[in-house]
Amino acid sequence: MAKEITERSQDYAQWYNDLVIRAGLADYSAVRGCMVIKPYGFAIWERMRDALDTKFKATGHQNAYFPLFIPKSFFSKEAAHVDGFAKECAVVTHYRLRNGADGQIEVDPQAKLEEELIVRPTSETIIWNSYRDWIQSYRDLPLLINQWANVVRWEMRTRLFLRTTEFLWQEGHTAHATAEEAIHETKQMLDVYADFAEQWMAMPVIKGVKTEQERFAGAVDTYCIEALMQDGKALQAGTSHFLGQNFAKAFDVQFANAQGGREYVWATSWGVSTRLMGALIMAHSDDQGLVLPPMLAPVQVVVVPIYKGADTISVLRDACQKLVHECQAVGLRVELDAEDNARPGWKFAHHELRGVPVRIAVGMRDLENGTVELARRDLQTKTTVSRDGIALVCQQLMNEIQETLFNKALDFRRSMTFEVDNWEDFQRRIEAGGLVAAHWDGSGATETAIKEATKATIRCIPLDQKSEAGSCIYSGQPSQGRVLFAKAY
RNA sequence: CGGGGUGUAGCGUAGCCCGGUAUCGCGCCUGCUUUGGGAGCAGGAGGCCGUCAGUUCGAAUCUGGCCACCCCGACCA
């Protein structure tokens, strides 16, 4: 057992916290609800960011940057939007400090802002205020912008990566001439997220639409990708919104169409955040520590020499260094851990904790036999293999591990997804965890009643929902298809 | 914002009931021996015991206030 990490079976929440801290992903900070993302954690985030950014560019988007501060008056222009976010906004009211009478620094009451500034919880309003000036004609459309930024939502209760007061994310904001085109964009970006989650994070997701209650404040439709965590709770990993003309109308963004008429533009917004880090951690990791998919692992292969007496050190280091170069030559991210201040066993445990997918150990015995010891983090297996061609073997192994992780997560999700047709089974299943596919009558009142009774929410109406006549699990009213219920993060 | 915890060295802790400036382990530094699953020995450094006040000759310990963080819940991504 890994030292310092609570076992999942004992306390899942504590396991998660221990992992984040001990694997060096993040620290608690001096500010409540805010975290410090440490270099190793940030390296993973950077890889996510770069992969997503490439996908955004490939679908025609450009990056830009809008202000952190939003004038309070902007916020109130879209009624649903302000309702959704008002309760969790940080507000800047002053712009200067001064020395107080007791020698303490205090806010200078003279320096009160004429109009308070909201620290952005999301940027629709400040961005659409600019879009009004940017968009005149249908020739300016579509406008496809993304920004990488930090946002602040004053949450009551926070958890490292999963819900922090300040978090990093990207938010795409696009403007289109027609509703069809905007809807297409919304779905396209949902696909981008789903592909990223499955191909890069090795995390299977379900694409779906949110119910009215779960919808983004100000959206016409909210699409989402939902993932199932190891404890049986669902996690919303990304959202893509069709905003209709809500923000265009609120900010008076019109364009001249080809016929010379004036129309409001159609909008989308979409985002994923550092919450994905939490999803990644909970999707694959075990009681030994982090398990990272090779495509996102900052270090894919770690090489550990096994010294035997001082005279072997330089020989082994040279041999390992050569191995490292070979791995680098085929594009692997490889690290040599040749420090003499930790023994092999400690290093093994350490790199397992950090989730490095593959470990190569090389001792004198291997040098004599022309072999190395290869260990897989995901299966916790180790084998002695020929040293020749090891770089290509590792390269191939990366694909295998990536696939194994995805399949394992998919198998898990399948084993935790249940079709349920009566209320008693429903309650039992929800209590036990997992995704429950059940009929729902489509009413918000029923949704609320189910939530109050079981704490389960409708995660989404799956896009691939089968048309199937049934009756609502709760009310018995007719239903045309199953929706997914789960307790969620 | 309610309920429950916790605050003593970088980390984990003992001491607190029954006041006398602090225990042990890990880690760190030096040296030697080691190195195929979290090394051994020897020596060493590191603390305003969360904070403020009170009681006392004397407070980690007793009393009161405050603060911070974590967990569970309501709210949310």
Side-chain angles (χ1 to χ4, degrees):
Chain A
M1 282 305 102
K3 294 179 181 174
E4 306 163 336
I5 297 184
T6 305
E7 289 176 38
R8 282 169 296 182
S9 58
Q10 194 188 329
D11 185 342
Y12 191 84
Q14 194 55 46
W15 165 81
Y16 175 82
N17 286 333
D18 288 351
L19 206 48
V20 171
I21 300 296
R22 300 297 171 188
L25 300 178
D27 263 343
Y28 293 108
S29 74
V31 184
R32 179 192 355 226
C34 293
M35 65 191 289
V36 176
I37 303 177
K38 296 181 75 175
Y40 191 58
F42 205 80
I44 298 170
W45 173 244
E46 281 179 314
R47 294 199 58 75
M48 290 182 167
R49 196 188 58 191
D50 291 349
L52 285 163
D53 200 63
T54 301
K55 286 176 183 285
F56 299 157
K57 304 265 172 66
T59 43
H61 302 85
Q62 291 182 294
N63 284 333
Y65 188 78
F66 292 84
L68 170 67
F69 301 121
I70 300 176
K72 192 177 71 176
S73 57
F74 283 21
F75 238 83
S76 45
K77 292 191 179 184
E78 215 289 332
H81 193 64
V82 70
D83 278 355
F85 285 105
K87 293 187 297 272
E88 50 189 29
C89 285
V91 184
V92 180
T93 55
H94 292 76
Y95 59 84
R96 193 165 59 213
L97 301 174
R98 68 177 189 188
N99 287 313
D102 54 358
Q104 300 291 307
I105 291 287
E106 63 180 23
V107 173
D108 185 345
Q110 301 296 308
K112 193 162 161 48
L113 287 172
E114 192 98 342
E115 178 176 4
E116 290 97 338
L117 297 170
I118 312 298
V119 180
R120 63 181 166 216
T122 180
S123 303
E124 274 78 6
T125 57
I126 189 90
I127 286 179
W128 279 85
N129 186 63
S130 280
Y131 281 5
R132 182 174 56 238
D133 297 332
W134 293 11
I135 297 167
Q136 318 260 325
S137 137
Y138 72 96
R139 295 181 192 279
D140 297 322
L141 299 172
L143 182 57
L144 306 173
I145 302 290
N146 176 65
Q147 86 165 347
W148 290 95
N150 59 338
V151 286
V152 168
R153 295 181 188 176
W154 215 265
E155 301 289 353
M156 290 292 191
R157 191 174 155 217
T158 57
R159 295 198 59 187
L160 295 168
F161 288 118
L162 295 171
R163 181 174 297 107
T164 46
T165 299
E166 179 190 14
F167 57 95
L168 305 183
W169 78 345
Q170 61 64 219
E171 46 181 325
H173 296 274
T174 70
H176 306 264
T178 65
E180 293 69 34
E181 194 184 304
I183 291 169
H184 178 266
E185 165 78 4
T186 310
K187 290 181 176 171
Q188 173 187 253
M189 297 322 287
L190 188 74
D191 287 341
V192 165
Y193 288 154
D195 289 347
F196 172 76
E198 301 200 332
Q199 289 164 16
W200 287 76
M201 297 174 69
M203 182 177 74
V205 292
I206 292 162
K207 291 186 271 193
V209 191
K210 288 291 187 189
T211 63
E212 186 177 349
Q213 288 191 13
E214 300 283 325
R215 194 179 289 160
F216 174 76
V220 173
D221 273 315
T222 288
Y223 294 81
C224 62
I225 52 171
E226 293 284 329
L228 185 67
M229 301 294 102
Q230 292 181 45
D231 62 346
K233 285 166 84 173
L235 180 84
Q236 178 176 301
T239 51
S240 183
H241 315 290
F242 170 56
L243 302 173
Q245 294 175 310
N246 293 344
F247 286 91
K249 286 176 177 167
F251 287 88
D252 191 29
V253 184
Q254 301 184 56
F255 69 101
N257 63 27
Q259 291 73 43
R262 286 179 68 74
E263 296 179 46
Y264 286 108
V265 304
W266 298 84
T268 82
S269 68
W270 27 275
V272 294
S273 71
T274 37
R275 177 177 238 207
L276 287 179
M277 292 287 292
L280 183 72
I281 294 159
M282 289 197 291
H284 307 301
S285 301
D286 60 27
D287 289 342
Q288 269 57 252
L290 216 52
V291 175
L292 295 176
M295 288 178 75
L296 291 176
V299 177
Q300 296 174 306
V301 177
V302 64
V303 179
V304 180
I306 312 293
Y307 302 130
K308 212 46 147 222
D311 50 330
T312 67
I313 290 182
S314 66
V315 176
L316 280 164
R317 279 199 184 163
D318 289 350
C320 288
Q321 194 64 59
K322 207 170 158 223
L323 220 155
V324 165
H325 287 139
E326 283 178 37
C327 288
Q328 282 170 338
V330 299
L332 289 164
R333 292 184 292 280
V334 55
E335 182 179 285
L336 174 60
D337 187 358
E339 293 303 312
D340 194 24
N341 57 4
R343 297 172 79 257
W346 189 90
K347 292 179 181 177
F348 293 173
H350 176 67
H351 296 299
E352 280 161 14
L353 175 61
R354 295 203 309 157
V356 178
V358 166
R359 178 186 73 233
I360 300 176
V362 183
M364 288 307 287
R365 206 158 65 210
D366 292 305
L367 288 191
E368 286 159 20
N369 300 339
T371 57
V372 296
E373 184 191 81
L374 204 59
R376 274 178 72 157
R377 176 66 184 89
D378 59 331
L379 303 178
Q380 306 210 67
T381 54
K382 53 184 181 183
T383 50
T384 300
V385 300
S386 170
R387 191 234 173 279
D388 291 335
I390 192 67
L392 290 173
V393 169
C394 286
Q395 199 179 32
Q396 180 55 35
L397 209 45
M398 291 304 126
N399 298 330
E400 262 180 64
I401 293 171
Q402 186 81 25
E403 201 179 316
T404 301
L405 287 177
F406 178 80
N407 288 333
K408 189 180 170 196
L410 186 59
D411 286 347
F412 174 75
R413 192 186 74 192
R414 284 183 178 141
S415 74
M416 291 289 281
T417 304
F418 309 97
E419 288 198 358
V420 164
D421 292 306
N422 70 72
W423 179 239
E424 285 68 35
D425 287 349
F426 182 87
Q427 288 174 295
R428 203 174 306 125
R429 276 302 179 195
I430 287 297
E431 186 58 33
L435 299 172
V436 175
H439 283 282
W440 167 59
D441 64 18
S443 82
T446 298
E447 189 178 357
T448 302
I450 292 173
K451 184 177 179 181
E452 282 171 4
T454 65
K455 288 176 181 144
T457 49
I458 298 177
R459 299 322 301 152
C460 68
I461 302 158
L463 293 189
D464 63 0
Q465 183 195 44
K466 282 180 295 189
S467 181
E468 174 191 293
S471 56
C472 176
I473 198 80
Y474 186 80
S475 70
Q477 295 295 304
S479 151
Q480 296 309 310
R482 294 174 187 274
V483 300
L484 282 179
F485 289 87
K487 288 195 215 171
Y489 276 96

